[in-house]
Amino acid sequence: MVWPSETEAVKPERQELPAGLVLQIDELLRHYPNKRAALIPALHKCQDHFGHIPGGVALALSEHMGLAPSCVADTISFYSMLRMKPVGKFHIEVCQTISCALRGADSLADYLVMKLGIGFGEVTRDGKFSLGKVECIGACEQAPAILINNELYGNLNKERIEEILGGLQ
Amino acid sequence: MEPVLLAKRHIENSTDINIAIGEGAYKALQKVLTAMSPPQVHKEVMDAVLRGRGGAGFPAGLKWKFLDKNPKRTRYLCCNADESEPGTFKDRVIMETDPHMLIEGMIIACYAIDAHAGYIFLRGEYANSFRILTKAIAQAREHGFLGDNVLGSGFNVNIHVHVGAGAYICGEELAMLESLGGARGWPRLKPPYAATRGLFYEPTVVNNVETLACVPHIVLRGADWFKGMGSENNYGPKLYCLSGHVNKPGVYELPMGTTLKQLIDQSGGGIPNGRKLKAVLPGGSSSAALTAEEVDVPMDFDSMSKAGSMLGSAGIIVMDDSTCMVNACWNVARFYAHESCGQCTPCREGTNWVARILGRIERGQGEPGDIDMALTICDNMLGQTICALADGAVFPIRSIIQKFRAEFERHVRDGACPFGAKRKWYSVLPE
């Protein structure tokens, strides 16, 4: 879990939600008997749109959904997939849990750190790649596995990583 | 045995509704809506003794029975597809190869419990499952299996896919319902149980993907057919997930009660590189570890608990003799420290303390009293919390320390890891 101190500043500048995004959020509301239940899917939509959830967007979303800003911040702070800080164009998350660890997740991680020249939690200077760690992603039979922008890549070794990174534009 | 849950696995485009129907999908639903009343469906599932495949093994029929039947309240069915137990990936395989079996199971379950809305709580990391499920649901609606007046029977039902946002704790029943309500995934104190106060505070049944996937088969072929597989009180087909040090990791469908040894040696093709088996976490990382001498045990709910472990989610994590058990134990402890929701003090503090102590021992900085201190902290976590996450952390940690204590002592005595582990990168805890 993430402590509130790690989330963004107290009162961010309100940011307008784009009309297309508002439509998507309103579509989500149809699936639930109350607005709050649509909060996490709505936050996913915001993150898909902006790459992360800027504080001003969280504030606008809270107004749009009729929720207290603190309620939105509370939910964002709890979930590891929701982030308020920007990441690279390609966000690479390495699974570090036991099944992947047994099959060489550590050397894969070392290789990525060396190859990209950044540590975990960092973004490359050109903004193209960022590295993160993730807990079990349910791909244990394909260990070691990673997520790139939440898409699964499994059965990895150096050659395959080279190939995948080379294909990302 | 002939595959039941994985029958469509090798069929091309099996997720498409027309191909699925050609393979027999929605036959059970037609039978239910034309020839069976809800109590009849319920009785069939009850008779089959279908035990929950999510980990606890609680009979699904009983769960349905306990549901508040007050006609003035809205009832919900919730499918637990949060599958975040390390070593488990069977639900993903079901959703990606046979989504219509799950949807059909959910419609039938809704019919049996008189619910008109079902939610699939899908973990956020399963992007591919999400695409497949949404498409399958749209197709099922076009074919009249979902929506108002299903197949002209007058029964209305809708299924929604809800995407989670990455939290292991949301696999816990009531934490999942909190999360589905948009809040943080904090488990609720029980009672009241979900059967009286669940999703949106209404009566709710929560079943695992694999459990619901069994329902159409039970309804179509009968409880006796289902009971023809497995042993007493542990019936039916079961999906086993093999990962770690095996030649052929993957999901295998076998009758309940196949032995662990058979699964590792035959299905998994044994241990690679001529190495020997050292330890197994048989039911996901929350189960107590078994040593190489203890693996000749049937993988069913009762036999596993008799063997001092549990069937859990049947996520079998195999470790060969090159594995440093201190490192494995630390990895597991670190996982629970990361995933503790922070609500109960024993778990929030305890998992972190244990992870730090084990990390210290692994790095060769352990002190003589550390091993016993880790065990004492485990004792103070067990059974002291709202949900079972702390217990799930204690079982593997305590069993690994007890069964491989000499290895821990050697780390402390030598001031180094005898396996030469340098693994610094995944220490998430500030030290």
Side-chain angles (χ1 to χ4, degrees):
Chain A
M1 68 179 262
V2 179
W3 292 104
S5 60
E6 285 173 42
T7 62
E8 214 167 74
V10 190
K11 182 81 181 177
E13 197 73 27
R14 190 180 181 283
Q15 212 171 318
E16 239 13 89
L17 295 176
L21 189 59
V22 170
L23 276 179
Q24 286 184 37
I25 291 167
D26 290 344
E27 203 282 325
L28 288 171
L29 293 172
R30 289 194 308 112
H31 294 279
Y32 303 94
N34 66 58
K35 282 188 171 178
R36 186 169 180 178
L39 178 57
I40 292 172
L43 286 166
H44 271 303
K45 294 280 182 209
C46 293
Q47 185 161 293
D48 290 348
H49 190 272
F50 294 98
H52 65 291
I53 305 162
V57 170
L59 197 62
L61 184 71
S62 71
E63 274 176 34
H64 181 72
M65 295 185 73
L67 300 168
S70 59
C71 158
V72 176
D74 179 67
T75 298
I76 297 173
S77 72
F78 187 79
Y79 295 96
S80 58
M81 279 179 83
L82 303 175
R83 49 179 181 256
M84 294 189 84
K85 295 235 172 73
V87 290
K89 186 179 171 199
F90 298 105
H91 184 48
I92 304 172
E93 294 171 289
V94 184
C95 175
Q96 55 176 344
T97 313
I98 182 134
S99 291
C100 282
L102 289 171
R103 288 182 87 101
D106 52 347
S107 43
L108 178 71
D110 283 348
Y111 183 72
L112 280 167
V113 166
M114 186 208 68
K115 174 89 188 159
L116 300 175
I118 50 170
F120 283 89
E122 292 174 5
V123 189
T124 53
R125 208 169 286 169
D126 60 1
K128 192 171 171 190
F129 295 107
S130 53
L131 269 181
K133 298 172 200 167
V134 71
E135 296 295 351
C136 190
I137 51 177
C140 317
E141 87 279 32
Q142 305 168 34
I146 60 171
L147 294 174
I148 303 179
N149 292 349
N150 212 31
E151 293 298 331
L152 176 67
Y153 295 83
N155 293 317
L156 298 177
N157 50 35
K158 280 179 193 168
E159 292 74 46
R160 198 142 141 66
I161 273 283
E162 286 285 346
E163 197 186 302
I164 292 165
L165 291 183
L168 296 175
Q169 286 307 324
Chain B
M1 125 187 183
E2 203 184 312
V4 178
L5 302 174
L6 298 182
K8 299 197 195 74
R9 194 186 199 179
H10 298 295
I11 293 168
E12 213 177 316
N13 269 331
S14 60
T15 60
D16 186 82
I17 196 161
N18 293 311
I19 294 182
I21 289 173
E23 295 294 324
Y26 297 105
K27 257 191 206 160
L29 180 66
Q30 272 155 3
K31 179 182 172 185
V32 163
L33 293 179
T34 50
M36 292 172 89
S37 67
Q40 278 173 319
V41 176
H42 189 174
K43 185 173 179 296
E44 204 66 43
V45 172
M46 198 84 167
D47 288 347
V49 199
L50 169 60
R51 294 179 68 171
R53 268 40 173 172
F58 192 79
L62 273 184
K63 235 183 196 179
W64 296 5
K65 191 179 166 187
F66 292 147
L67 190 70
D68 186 348
K69 295 281 160 32
N70 183 346
K72 284 185 193 143
R73 299 183 74 185
T74 315
R75 272 167 294 282
Y76 290 103
L77 173 72
C78 204
C79 170
N80 188 341
D82 192 55
E83 193 168 60
S84 356
E85 183 68 32
T88 315
F89 41 93
K90 61 187 175 64
D91 297 344
R92 193 196 79 226
V93 173
I94 291 180
M95 293 184 286
E96 291 183 1
T97 60
D98 204 348
H100 292 288
M101 178 170 59
L102 173 63
I103 293 168
E104 187 183 9
M106 285 186 72
I107 302 170
I108 296 172
C110 281
Y111 178 75
I113 63 173
D114 188 27
H116 302 282
Y119 286 91
I120 301 176
F121 188 99
L122 181 71
R123 65 177 304 193
E125 288 85 350
Y126 283 0
N128 196 32
S129 304
F130 175 72
R131 282 188 291 266
I132 291 171
L133 280 173
T134 21
K135 187 176 160 224
I137 288 173
Q139 284 187 331
R141 186 182 302 277
E142 282 164 23
H143 279 70
F145 299 127
L146 285 172
D148 290 344
N149 194 14
V150 176
L151 299 175
S153 65
F155 174 64
N156 308 333
V157 65
N158 276 307
I159 292 178
H160 311 273
V161 185
H162 177 93
V163 179
Y168 171 72
I169 190 64
C170 292
E172 201 271 346
E173 190 168 281
L174 289 163
M176 180 170 87
L177 301 178
E178 280 290 303
S179 181
L180 232 165
R184 50 173 60 215
W186 271 10
R188 296 182 203 150
L189 204 57
K190 289 180 273 197
Y193 293 91
T196 47
R197 206 174 132 94
L199 184 60
F200 312 128
Y201 302 115
E202 299 291 354
T204 305
V205 164
V206 181
N207 286 138
N208 177 259
V209 172
E210 193 187 345
T211 315
L212 288 164
C214 288
V215 170
H217 300 285
I218 291 171
V219 168
L220 200 61
R221 306 190 215 188
D224 291 331
W225 163 83
F226 191 78
K227 288 166 93 170
M229 283 170 273
S231 54
E232 199 181 351
N233 271 326
N234 295 272
Y235 304 114
K238 179 81 194 88
L239 298 184
Y240 296 99
C241 319
L242 275 167
S243 67
H245 296 141
V246 281
N247 275 312
K248 293 185 288 175
V251 176
Y252 295 92
E253 182 175 11
L254 290 157
M256 183 84 89
T258 307
T259 69
L260 187 51
K261 192 175 164 49
Q262 208 177 331
L263 278 157
I264 297 169
D265 292 344
Q266 290 173 19
S267 308
I271 316 287
N273 307 323
R275 292 195 171 273
K276 285 197 179 68
L277 179 65
K278 186 171 189 176
V280 187
L281 291 168
S285 74
S286 300
S287 59
L290 297 174
T291 63
E293 292 75 40
E294 295 169 320
V295 295
D296 207 1
V297 51
M299 282 285 283
D300 62 45
F301 293 107
D302 300 333
S303 311
M304 288 308 285
S305 77
K306 225 181 279 169
S309 187
M310 63 176 188
L311 178 64
S313 56
I316 303 165
I317 304 166
V318 182
M319 292 173 254
D320 71 15
D321 56 3
S322 69
T323 313
C324 170
M325 291 315 288
V326 180
N327 196 299
C329 195
W330 173 35
N331 191 302
V332 170
R334 192 200 39 87
F335 172 81
Y336 291 97
H338 183 264
E339 297 298 339
S340 173
C341 80
Q343 193 176 189
C344 310
T345 311
C347 175
R348 181 186 64 236
E349 303 301 322
T351 51
N352 277 283
W353 288 342
V354 172
R356 277 187 220 181
I357 291 169
L358 292 170
R360 188 155 86 202
I361 297 175
E362 169 64 0
R363 284 192 303 277
Q365 295 156 355
E367 286 159 29
D370 276 357
I371 302 169
D372 287 320
M373 201 201 296
L375 289 172
T376 309
I377 296 169
C378 282
D379 289 342
N380 285 307
M381 279 196 277
L382 194 67
Q384 304 292 324
T385 50
I386 290 175
C387 83
L389 188 139
D391 303 350
V394 169
F395 296 140
I397 294 169
R398 199 168 61 178
S399 62
I400 292 176
I401 297 179
Q402 282 167 349
K403 288 175 183 177
F404 298 92
R405 190 170 174 125
E407 222 170 275
F408 286 78
E409 280 166 355
R410 189 164 163 206
H411 275 75
V412 175
R413 199 177 55 234
D414 296 358
C417 175
F419 293 84
K422 292 194 293 282
R423 308 166 172 94
K424 279 193 223 104
W425 68 275
Y426 59 58
S427 169
V428 287
L429 300 161
E431 293 266 357

